């Protein structure tokens, strides 16, 4: 048992145990305040209290990025971080009038180009992934409506083809029953 589950009872010499239960109202609220204590035990004198957890896990608001997009984003962040470090070193070398200032400025320019490429890579990778794997369409999407209409037209065409085939199989070959 940890310290959160064990407390000394003030009136008794025995130890009163407190169970670790999440606070029922703590899920949606972020406000402060102590957890309500409920009296239980023999004659209501034993104090059992529930406490609020340190954090409440909430579902993610957005879906996780696809793996290729995430790797491109990590690559871009690393390139940007290196670029910022190089720019800072170039600035400090310039202030100190060091011989290293000129090479650092040149490498900062190159790193800026690479960082720009990294950010564009994230954007292009995201677009390619969306084109290949599809985008979640909204119910009012025009594409969904067009697909639905095409499906209905194909079903009608197939039903008409089946009806024509049925008529031909009967032997009448499309002739009327009375001449």
């Amino acid at each position: 048992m940890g310290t959160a589950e064990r407390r000394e009872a003030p009136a008794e010499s025995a130890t009163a145990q407190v169970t670790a239960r999440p606070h029922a109202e703590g899920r949606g609220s972020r406000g402060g305040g102590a957890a309500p204590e409920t009296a239980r035990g023999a004659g209501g004198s034993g104090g059992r209290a529930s406490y609020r957890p340190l954090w409440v896990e909430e579902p993610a608001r957005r879906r996780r990025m696809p793996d290729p997009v995430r790797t491109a984003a990590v690559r871009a962040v690393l390139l940007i971080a290196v670029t910022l470090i190089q720019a800072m070193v170039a600035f400090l070398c310039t202030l100190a009038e060091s011989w290293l200032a000129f090479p650092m400025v040149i490498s900062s320019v190159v790193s800026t180009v690479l960082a720009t490429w990294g950010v564009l890579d994230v954007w292009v990778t995201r677009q390619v992934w969306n084109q290949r794997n599809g985008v979640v369409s909204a119910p009012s999407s025009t594409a969904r409506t067009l697909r639905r209409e095409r499906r209905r037209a194909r079903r009608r065409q197939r039903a008409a083809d089946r009806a024509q085939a049925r008529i031909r199989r009967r032997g009448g070959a499309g002739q009327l029953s009375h001449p």
Side-chain angles (χ1 to χ4, degrees):
M1 268 199 252
T3 56
E5 289 106 17
R6 193 178 351 188
R7 292 194 183 151
E8 288 288 326
E12 305 170 4
S13 63
T15 304
Q17 293 180 358
V18 178
T19 60
R21 289 183 305 204
H23 184 25
E25 297 144 19
R27 293 208 173 209
S29 65
R30 292 180 184 248
E37 300 209 5
T38 58
R40 287 188 188 169
S45 63
R48 283 179 79 92
S50 63
Y51 68 95
R52 287 180 60 190
L54 292 176
W55 65 85
V56 178
E57 290 189 25
E58 297 177 356
R61 289 192 176 109
R62 294 189 330 176
R63 289 191 359 230
R64 185 172 146 167
M65 278 193 292
D67 287 340
V69 178
R70 194 168 348 117
T71 55
V74 168
R75 191 182 316 123
V77 166
L78 290 175
L79 284 170
I80 291 169
V82 168
T83 302
L84 290 174
I85 290 170
Q86 283 182 334
M88 179 65 72
V89 170
F91 176 72
L92 293 175
C93 286
T94 304
L95 288 179
E97 298 179 359
S98 171
W99 64 271
L100 200 56
F102 181 70
M104 288 306 295
V105 168
I106 297 299
S107 68
S108 294
V109 170
V110 171
S111 286
T112 303
V113 171
L114 287 176
T116 306
W117 170 83
V119 171
L120 287 175
D121 182 44
V122 173
W123 182 69
V124 168
T125 306
R126 185 171 160 267
Q127 295 297 326
V128 167
W129 193 89
N130 283 340
Q131 284 181 355
R132 286 185 182 161
N133 299 306
V135 184
V136 177
S137 59
S140 62
S141 169
T142 307
R144 180 179 285 184
T145 306
L146 291 174
R147 281 195 309 265
R148 194 176 294 137
E149 288 174 5
R150 273 186 260 141
R151 239 182 277 132
R152 285 180 189 147
R154 279 196 307 263
R155 283 186 198 132
R156 276 189 245 119
Q157 184 62 37
R158 281 195 303 254
D161 290 344
R162 280 195 302 267
Q164 284 295 332
R166 208 176 307 125
I167 290 172
R168 283 190 211 111
R169 273 190 309 233
R170 279 194 211 161
Q175 294 177 358
L176 297 174
S177 58
H178 300 313

